[in-house]
Amino acid sequence: MAAPPSSSSSSAANIMLAVYEKKPTSVDLYRPLRNYVVYNYSEREAQSLDDDLQTLKSMRADLERSPAASAPDSLSSRRDLLQRYYRALSAVESRFPISPDKDHVNSLTFVWHDAFKNKLKASQQNVHLEKAAVLFNLGAVYSQIGLTFDRAGGSIEGRKQASHAFIAAAGAFAFLRDNESTKAAMGGSATVDLSVECAGMLERLMLAQAQDELQIQEAIEKEMKMKFHINPLILVSVQSSVFRRCSLRLIMVGIYYEEAFAALSVAPLKEHFDKNWFSHVQLKAAFFYAEACYRCSLELHEKEDIAEEIARLKSGVNALSEVKKSSSKGAAQQLLDAINKLEGNLNRNLERAMKENDRVYLMRVPPASSLPPLPAFSLVKSMPMAEILDASKEKMFTSLVPDSSAKALSRYTEMVDEIIRTQAEKLQQGSELARVRLKEMDLPDSILALEGNFTLPTTLKEDVEAVQICDGPAGLEAELQQLRDLRRVNQELLVQTEELLQKEATEDAQFRSQFGTRWTRPQSSTLTKNLQDRLNRFAANLKQAADSDTRIERSVRDHSALMSILDRRPIESALPTLARPIMSLDANEDAIVGSLKQSLRHLETLGAQRAGLEDMLKEMKRKDDILPKLMASTGSYEDLFRKEIMKYDHICEEIAQNIEAQEQLLLQIQAQNDEFAAIFNLEDYKASREKSYKQIEAAIAKYREIKENVNEGLKFYVTLQDAITNIKQQCSDFVMTRSIQCRDMIEDVQRQMANFGFQDKNAASAYNYPSGGPPHHQIQRSSSQPQVNPGNMAQPPRPQTSYYNQHPEQPTMPGGYTHHPSPYGTTPQQQPPPPYAAAPGGGPPYTALPQPQQQPPVSHEYGQPAYPGWRGPYYNAPAQQPATHPRPPYTIPSPSPYPPPHQSGYYKQ
């Protein structure tokens, strides 16, 4: 039987190495840094940073004092101080350039002594030596903390805490090697303890001690417990498994020690460390290799692999024998005792195995060089210190932002913007591709049509709603009635005006017949010729407008069937429906429709995911503030940029996966839709639906055309009504003036006839005004009385377009819906003189007409007789000014414009 497991490693476990701190010399950080702020920023900024500068000065002063004792609490405080000071130094490095340069902080010199040879020291005018020394001391403090825990007496918790401390020490030395050792070496003066080689060696040493007997002792204890508590029938197999796990861990410890010893054996560390370090590390490496061979031999013995067992035991014995010859001097006696005990166990088991092989197995023992390397398994790795020493969250000196950091931030922002823009374009293109492909396949409209939920295209539906808001085709009849009413009112006004003039002309003819040559005033037909011509033109326009109204009414009747579709509410009831096939062979229509609908829902889910991804991108950019990291960064900005940009990689990958999934899904939907279209005869349905769309579009176009013509007619009639009302007022004023003149002339003629002889002598002087002018009293009356001359009155603007200016004989195109010249309009060459004057320069066709003022009361001066050439107050009146007058007999509010007014109309020229 094999010998019981050795507990020699238990005694060797307490033999550990710790590193002492480097010693600094005093330095004042406050004054040089404050002077730099005052010179490059302002005194006010220096005052605002005074607290931070004082805190930095205080931390440096605490660092210069050695810890009071090696108690865990004191070492923990020291560890926290070193971590805070390192983060503060990172903030200082990014804001205060420390170097011999005259524009930098050039009065600071850091001096540190070597930790292993205190007489050696290094001095540099940069922050790299300071940061490297702080990291070294942090690793040293962690190693000292590891030795403070109780690792004897089977204390599992003490071993775990010690192991954690050594792992942290390894992390600190690894961080020193990777981030600061090279920079400190470039300063021109650096000690060996800060070199890359020393930091790497110390990392391996700390890892070896972390996985030393701290882990192995726990495995041994479990093994011993199992020996006494596990059923003997299965103890052998359990022991074999435990032995193998122990050997894997032991060989890894040995490898760590071997790597540390290899670094100590070459320059620059070979001549720098004390011999005791070499002896300890070499003995530890050999011890754990031999321990691993011993554990492996126990497993081989259980498997009855005697040949390899003998070879492993010989290899372990040889390793211990050689290391005792070369490294026994200066080594701890406790470690030598553990080695001797292990060597005895190896020799005892080797002797037993050789006897069994000679008597029973007779196997050939392979040479040690032919054995495969023992497999290794590590339980520990260096603690990552980047997060612990990250200065991006450091609050010190946050108000100082150098130009270099600002420019770097701008460059990083551009990189992020480019990513956001590129990915957003991909998302938008994906959504647009899905929309176009679905529209090509007429989805989901065809599915909705099958379920009775179809609808018009958005633009067409808006046009239909606009028509229905205006009461649709049914509302045209009310507007046509308005046209008729306005035409009637205008006709009545025109007749009333003509009757006024006709009555005055009849009275004038009667007096002229009665008095003969004594009735010397001008005839009415001569004075009212201009008014009569305008009334005639208005009458002609009314006749033409009536013809246009007739054509509009005929157009409404002719196309009422076409436009009736617009009265359907809802309009979708006028569309064809998609029906199921009358006969089905396999009755799989529902399955086809169901799978297509499921695919469409999946496509919609992908679209929602894209919207969420886009929002996520924007949110990531909003929260992506790397300025603190830029300020704390001491390496290349490009390295930091690459690391920070990587956080967008996962969302970019999700976007790519979404687009790819949509492509595959669209291909699947295309195949499903083809099958759906074949079963439900989708092509015929589409053709019928497009036909209905065109019918609705044609009805809307015709409605708009008629509506615009009606609106134009309404506006024309309202404008013409104002013009006729205006000329009626002028005619009324003329008739009233002529009536006064008539009474005055009658009195004069009667006086002449009563005194015929005397009047005959003076007749010429009384009525021969052309040669001598009117009497003096007549001149005075003319100068004081406003005068009106129908021939010289300011004429209101007349319409320049519309039916109402068209020559009666002008032909019009048949039909009301083709694009033809306006039935109410005419060309300037064919148009008769307009009923009222147009605004100069060709203004709008129906401009506002100036309204005449009411004439003041006529005085008795109108009683003077008229004579050839005489001009009474009416004929010489100045141009009348616009004034308000009573509302016309028929008014109508301006019709609401129908959008869009682009169709040609009857009333438009």
Side-chain angles (χ1 to χ4, degrees):
M1 293 293 295
S6 171
S7 60
S8 58
S9 59
S10 176
S11 59
N14 291 323
I15 308 301
M16 300 291 175
L17 294 179
V19 182
Y20 293 103
E21 292 186 54
K22 292 171 64 67
K23 303 297 182 182
T25 58
S26 299
V27 62
D28 179 21
L29 298 177
Y30 177 84
R31 185 55 53 186
L33 297 183
R34 192 181 192 284
N35 292 339
Y36 177 82
V37 175
V38 172
Y39 180 78
N40 290 276
Y41 295 91
S42 66
E43 176 63 30
R44 181 178 180 180
E45 187 69 28
Q47 292 176 0
S48 66
L49 296 176
D50 193 71
D51 291 342
D52 292 342
L53 292 171
Q54 290 288 356
T55 301
L56 183 68
K57 177 182 178 181
S58 176
M59 285 191 291
R60 186 53 160 82
D62 293 340
L63 183 68
E64 294 169 2
R65 293 190 291 269
S66 299
S70 297
D73 293 343
S74 177
L75 291 174
S76 298
S77 300
R78 186 74 173 178
R79 174 201 61 196
D80 296 340
L81 170 64
L82 290 167
Q83 292 175 356
R84 290 197 310 271
Y85 184 59
Y86 182 85
R87 291 193 293 267
L89 287 176
S90 297
V92 168
E93 180 182 9
S94 62
R95 294 165 174 85
F96 300 93
I98 302 175
S99 75
D101 193 300
K102 64 178 182 178
D103 295 329
H104 293 177
V105 182
N106 53 22
S107 59
L108 274 177
T109 301
F110 299 100
V111 180
W112 286 85
H113 293 266
D114 192 286
F116 304 103
K117 292 185 178 295
N118 194 45
K119 294 182 179 180
L120 301 178
K121 63 182 179 179
S123 62
Q124 293 183 18
Q125 286 183 279
N126 60 62
V127 75
H128 302 304
L129 176 62
E130 184 85 349
K131 293 179 70 177
V134 171
L135 285 175
F136 183 93
N137 283 358
L138 180 61
V141 169
Y142 269 122
S143 70
Q144 295 171 29
I145 291 174
L147 295 183
T148 61
F149 296 104
D150 181 16
R151 297 173 288 114
S155 175
I156 298 177
E157 185 63 27
R159 288 194 296 269
K160 287 182 178 180
Q161 292 176 345
S163 176
H164 185 272
F166 288 129
I167 290 172
F173 289 121
F175 196 84
L176 167 64
R177 177 197 62 205
D178 298 336
N179 295 276
E180 299 297 340
S181 291
T182 302
K183 296 177 183 178
M186 294 174 61
S189 173
T191 51
V192 176
D193 56 351
L194 298 181
S195 64
V196 174
E197 294 81 3
C198 184
M201 183 274 295
L202 292 175
E203 178 200 12
R204 310 315 285 176
L205 177 61
M206 295 298 112
L207 288 176
Q209 295 187 159
Q211 190 167 328
D212 204 332
E213 292 139 300
L214 304 177
Q215 301 291 343
I216 298 169
Q217 182 66 24
E218 181 179 356
I220 294 174
E221 291 177 358
K222 290 181 180 179
E223 175 189 345
M224 298 303 295
K225 290 178 181 178
M226 287 188 295
K227 183 175 181 181
F228 295 103
H229 295 88
I230 295 179
N231 189 325
L233 296 177
I234 60 174
L235 176 62
V236 174
S237 61
V238 173
Q239 282 182 335
S240 177
S241 175
V242 171
F243 293 158
R244 181 166 184 79
R245 286 199 301 272
C246 290
S247 64
L248 293 177
R249 296 173 181 178
L250 287 167
I251 196 60
M252 193 67 232
V253 178
I255 291 175
Y256 284 145
Y257 276 117
E258 287 177 1
E259 292 175 349
F261 180 73
L264 285 170
S265 301
V266 296
L269 306 182
K270 184 176 182 180
E271 304 297 333
H272 196 73
F273 281 84
D274 188 78
K275 296 296 183 182
N276 293 338
W277 276 70
F278 288 89
S279 299
H280 177 84
V281 173
Q282 188 176 16
L283 286 172
K284 281 276 190 174
F287 172 81
F288 283 103
Y289 173 76
E291 183 78 22
C293 291
Y294 176 70
R295 298 281 173 177
C296 183
S297 68
L298 295 178
E299 178 186 3
L300 294 172
H301 183 79
E302 297 294 338
K303 296 178 180 179
E304 297 184 355
D305 190 352
I306 301 300
E308 186 175 350
E309 177 188 1
I310 295 173
R312 293 292 182 187
L313 290 172
K314 286 183 178 180
S315 179
V317 171
N318 292 336
L320 292 179
S321 299
E322 292 178 2
V323 75
K324 286 172 62 179
K325 294 177 183 178
S326 60
S327 301
S328 59
K329 295 182 179 180
Q333 186 61 42
Q334 188 177 2
L335 179 57
L336 292 176
D337 292 343
I339 290 176
N340 291 331
K341 186 176 181 180
L342 175 60
E343 186 178 16
N345 291 334
L346 287 169
N347 286 323
R348 187 166 49 254
N349 283 5
L350 176 61
E351 181 180 357
R352 172 196 47 76
M354 293 179 64
K355 289 181 179 178
E356 290 180 1
N357 187 43
D358 293 340
R359 295 175 182 175
V360 180
Y361 300 102
L362 301 175
M363 294 182 179
R364 186 179 65 85
V365 178
S369 58
S370 64
L371 296 176
L374 289 172
F377 176 72
S378 177
L379 292 174
V380 296
K381 62 179 180 179
S382 301
M383 178 185 294
M385 302 298 291
E387 184 174 354
I388 297 175
L389 302 177
D390 181 18
S392 60
K393 298 180 181 179
E394 184 62 46
K395 302 300 182 181
M396 298 179 67
F397 312 113
T398 54
S399 61
L400 292 182
V401 180
D403 291 342
S404 59
S405 298
K407 292 178 181 178
L409 178 63
S410 177
R411 185 151 45 91
Y412 176 78
T413 302
E414 292 177 358
M415 296 169 62
V416 173
D417 289 342
E418 179 63 24
I419 292 177
I420 300 296
R421 183 168 49 254
T422 301
Q423 298 304 317
E425 289 178 357
K426 290 182 179 180
L427 292 172
Q428 293 172 2
Q429 290 173 0
S431 298
E432 182 64 17
L433 175 63
R435 187 189 66 81
V436 172
R437 295 283 293 276
L438 288 179
K439 186 175 181 181
E440 292 174 351
M441 293 183 283
D442 199 30
L443 291 173
D445 292 344
S446 56
I447 298 294
L448 295 175
L450 182 64
E451 298 174 347
N453 297 324
F454 48 84
T455 183
L456 287 175
T458 303
T459 304
L460 189 58
K461 187 174 181 62
E462 290 174 354
D463 291 343
V464 171
E465 290 175 351
V467 171
Q468 293 178 345
I469 288 175
C470 297
D471 294 334
L476 291 176
E477 182 58 37
E479 297 186 0
L480 291 177
Q481 184 60 43
Q482 290 179 344
L483 282 178
R484 300 185 196 104
D485 292 342
L486 282 173
R487 186 173 68 247
R488 176 182 53 78
V489 170
N490 278 278
Q491 187 67 44
E492 291 174 356
L493 286 172
L494 192 61
V495 170
Q496 294 171 6
T497 305
E498 290 177 346
E499 288 177 350
L500 284 174
L501 295 180
Q502 185 62 36
K503 181 178 179 182
E504 192 280 329
T506 302
E507 292 177 354
D508 181 69
Q510 290 176 356
F511 287 117
R512 193 174 301 281
S513 175
Q514 179 180 351
F515 296 108
T517 58
R518 293 183 181 90
W519 195 260
T520 58
R521 71 171 182 173
Q523 294 184 4
S524 295
S525 59
T526 302
L527 299 177
T528 61
K529 184 178 184 305
N530 184 34
L531 295 174
Q532 193 64 52
D533 289 344
R534 291 166 64 190
L535 291 174
N536 292 336
R537 288 198 297 270
F538 287 167
N541 286 337
L542 279 174
K543 183 179 182 305
Q544 296 163 14
D547 296 338
S548 297
D549 294 346
T550 301
R551 285 196 294 273
I552 292 176
E553 293 176 358
R554 184 170 60 249
S555 180
V556 172
R557 290 193 303 271
D558 293 344
H559 298 90
S560 60
L562 172 66
M563 294 187 296
S564 63
I565 195 173
L566 300 178
D567 289 326
R568 301 283 289 273
R569 293 174 184 265
I571 188 64
E572 286 79 10
S573 62
L575 299 178
T577 58
L578 179 63
R580 293 178 174 271
I582 298 175
M583 297 183 61
S584 176
L585 299 179
D586 49 7
N588 64 341
E589 296 90 349
D590 292 337
I592 294 174
V593 174
S595 61
L596 182 56
K597 290 171 65 176
Q598 183 176 2
S599 298
L600 290 175
R601 285 193 293 268
H602 189 192
L603 185 65
E604 185 177 358
T605 301
L606 291 177
Q609 290 177 357
R610 286 195 298 275
L613 290 172
E614 187 171 4
D615 292 340
M616 189 184 301
L617 275 174
K618 295 177 181 178
E619 183 66 15
M620 286 182 64
K621 180 187 175 183
R622 187 182 66 82
K623 294 181 177 180
D624 191 7
D625 181 16
I626 69 164
L627 181 59
K629 294 181 180 180
L630 284 173
M631 300 299 296
S633 175
T634 58
S636 171
Y637 285 147
E638 298 300 328
D639 295 338
L640 177 63
F641 291 166
R642 282 194 296 270
K643 180 180 178 181
E644 292 298 321
I645 286 293
M646 286 176 61
K647 62 175 168 279
Y648 292 92
D649 290 347
H650 75 281
I651 192 170
C652 294
E653 183 178 354
E654 289 184 20
I655 291 174
Q657 293 175 354
N658 182 282
I659 299 299
E660 178 63 24
Q662 178 178 270
E663 284 291 336
Q664 299 299 325
L665 184 58
L666 285 173
L667 293 176
Q668 177 181 332
I669 291 175
Q670 179 69 61
Q672 293 173 342
N673 188 64
D674 292 342
E675 189 175 5
F676 171 79
I679 292 178
F680 288 90
N681 197 10
L682 199 57
E683 292 301 323
D684 290 347
Y685 164 73
K686 289 181 180 180
S688 178
R689 186 187 59 186
E690 290 300 322
K691 182 179 179 181
S692 297
Y693 288 168
K694 291 180 179 179
Q695 289 176 352
I696 295 175
E697 291 173 353
I700 291 173
K702 181 53 61 179
Y703 174 84
R704 285 175 172 173
E705 178 184 338
I706 295 175
K707 178 75 172 177
E708 188 172 355
N709 290 335
V710 170
N711 291 342
E712 187 68 20
L714 293 173
K715 289 189 291 184
F716 181 84
Y717 278 126
V718 171
T719 304
L720 185 61
Q721 178 178 328
D722 292 341
I724 296 176
T725 302
N726 185 15
I727 197 171
K728 180 182 179 183
Q729 183 65 40
Q730 295 178 26
C731 292
S732 297
D733 294 343
F734 170 74
V735 169
M736 182 176 61
T737 302
R738 291 280 285 181
S739 176
I740 295 172
Q741 291 175 351
C742 179
R743 289 196 301 269
D744 292 344
M745 285 194 68
I746 290 174
E747 292 176 1
D748 290 343
V749 170
Q750 287 176 352
R751 284 194 299 268
Q752 290 175 13
M753 293 177 65
N755 193 8
F756 179 77
F758 179 77
Q759 290 177 349
D760 185 64
K761 178 181 177 181
N762 297 324
S765 61
Y767 292 99
N768 192 13
Y769 288 156
S771 61
H776 178 69
H777 70 275
Q778 183 69 29
I779 295 174
Q780 292 178 345
R781 183 167 61 245
S782 299
S783 63
S784 63
Q785 177 67 31
Q787 302 176 13
V788 179
N789 187 346
N792 297 330
M793 290 177 60
Q795 299 180 4
R798 60 174 178 265
Q800 298 180 3
T801 61
S802 85
Y803 288 111
Y804 308 102
N805 296 332
Q806 180 180 346
H807 193 276
E809 287 77 17
Q810 179 180 348
T812 58
M813 295 183 67
Y817 297 98
T818 57
H819 190 77
H820 53 76
S822 174
Y824 291 117
T826 182
T827 60
Q829 293 78 6
Q830 299 170 330
Q831 182 173 326
Y836 44 91
Y846 304 107
T847 57
L849 302 176
Q851 303 297 335
Q853 294 181 346
Q854 297 293 337
Q855 296 298 323
V858 182
S859 68
H860 65 279
E861 296 175 359
Y862 282 99
Q864 297 296 327
Y867 51 89
W870 175 83
R871 293 292 183 266
Y874 186 88
Y875 306 102
N876 298 324
Q880 295 175 333
Q881 300 299 322
T884 59
H885 59 83
R887 291 177 60 85
Y890 185 92
T891 58
I892 183 170
S894 177
S896 58
Y898 180 80
H902 60 273
Q903 299 292 338
S904 63
Y906 287 108
Y907 297 90
K908 299 184 71 174
Q909 188 173 1

